[in-house]
Amino acid sequence: GRANGLAFDGRGRLLACEGGGENGGRRVSITSADGSVSTLVDHFQGKRFNSPNDVAITPNGTTYFTDPRYGDQSDRELEHEGVYYVKQGQAHLATHEVERPNGIVFSPDGKTAYVADNNNQYGGARTLLAFTVQDDGSFRSRRVLFDFGMGRRGIDGMAIDDQGNIYATAGKGVDAAVYVFGPQGEHLASI
């Protein structure tokens, strides 16, 4: 199903963001230990997702995923690109205050969401964003922590350590690296 972002949930099941395009599932699927595959979510308000890209599970077990749309837009049903969370088997919009959401991770306490805004169109955002996670699961207080600027490739995948440092793949050519950011977006290193 053109799987991209992957994460294991607390029950040992593999969650996969299946993207759009040819043979794309446009869903978040679950693969159980026995190999059976089912759908976690594939619609928001009756419309198919754009192209689920990355998934993260918070410390309290809530599943979040990003839903950008790169490339062909012809079969797109949603007007926005957003970040969603799953509650009681349904997708809920956490935010659409992101031009093209890509990677996603959460602070160790689960109170802050970090989202890669990686819009590859001319003039598009290439930033690391932080949001406060509200009690209902939605995001508020959007903050730009780091801006890669024009002409550079923004963040794709991310990971976070137990100190809250973010490891983000970004750049191209001589700028290609794993960028290490502190919890407030301070650029600590490039690997």
Side-chain angles (χ1 to χ4, degrees), residues 89-171:
Q90 298 289 318
H92 300 269
L93 184 64
T95 187
H96 62 75
E97 289 186 76
V98 183
E99 287 181 30
R100 188 145 294 149
N102 199 306
I104 183 170
V105 293
F106 287 85
S107 61
D109 64 7
K111 294 180 180 180
T112 303
Y114 299 100
V115 179
D117 195 349
N118 190 6
N119 185 344
N120 60 347
Q121 294 179 332
Y122 181 78
R126 292 165 178 91
T127 57
L128 172 61
L129 303 175
F131 294 90
T132 301
V133 180
Q134 299 188 101
D135 289 342
D136 68 355
S138 62
F139 295 171
R140 67 175 171 83
S141 303
R142 176 187 181 273
R143 301 176 310 280
V144 176
L145 298 186
F146 190 85
D147 189 339
F148 283 87
M150 290 292 297
R152 296 175 68 193
R153 187 179 191 283
I155 297 170
D156 192 345
M158 296 189 292
I160 194 162
D161 67 20
D162 60 358
Q163 301 299 307
N165 296 310
I166 302 155
Y167 300 80
T169 59

Side-chain angles (χ1 to χ4, degrees), residues 11-87:
R11 297 175 17 193
R13 303 176 306 173
L14 180 64
L15 278 62
C17 285
E18 297 183 13
E22 186 176 342
N23 299 317
R26 292 173 68 182
R27 67 179 181 162
V28 178
S29 64
I30 301 170
T31 302
S32 298
D34 65 6
S36 62
V37 179
S38 59
T39 298
L40 178 63
V41 289
D42 60 0
H43 287 80
F44 175 68
Q45 297 181 342
K47 296 180 180 181
R48 291 191 71 199
F49 291 118
N50 295 314
S51 186
N53 183 279
D54 199 12
V55 61
I57 301 171
T58 64
N60 74 4
T62 303
T63 299
Y64 283 81
F65 64 97
T66 60
D67 186 42
R69 188 55 182 254
Y70 293 97
D72 183 13
Q73 306 284 316
S74 63
D75 62 350
R76 185 171 167 172
E77 295 178 25
L78 292 168
E79 293 178 10
H80 61 268
E81 299 179 35
V83 179
Y84 296 88
Y85 63 100
V86 181
K87 189 174 184 179

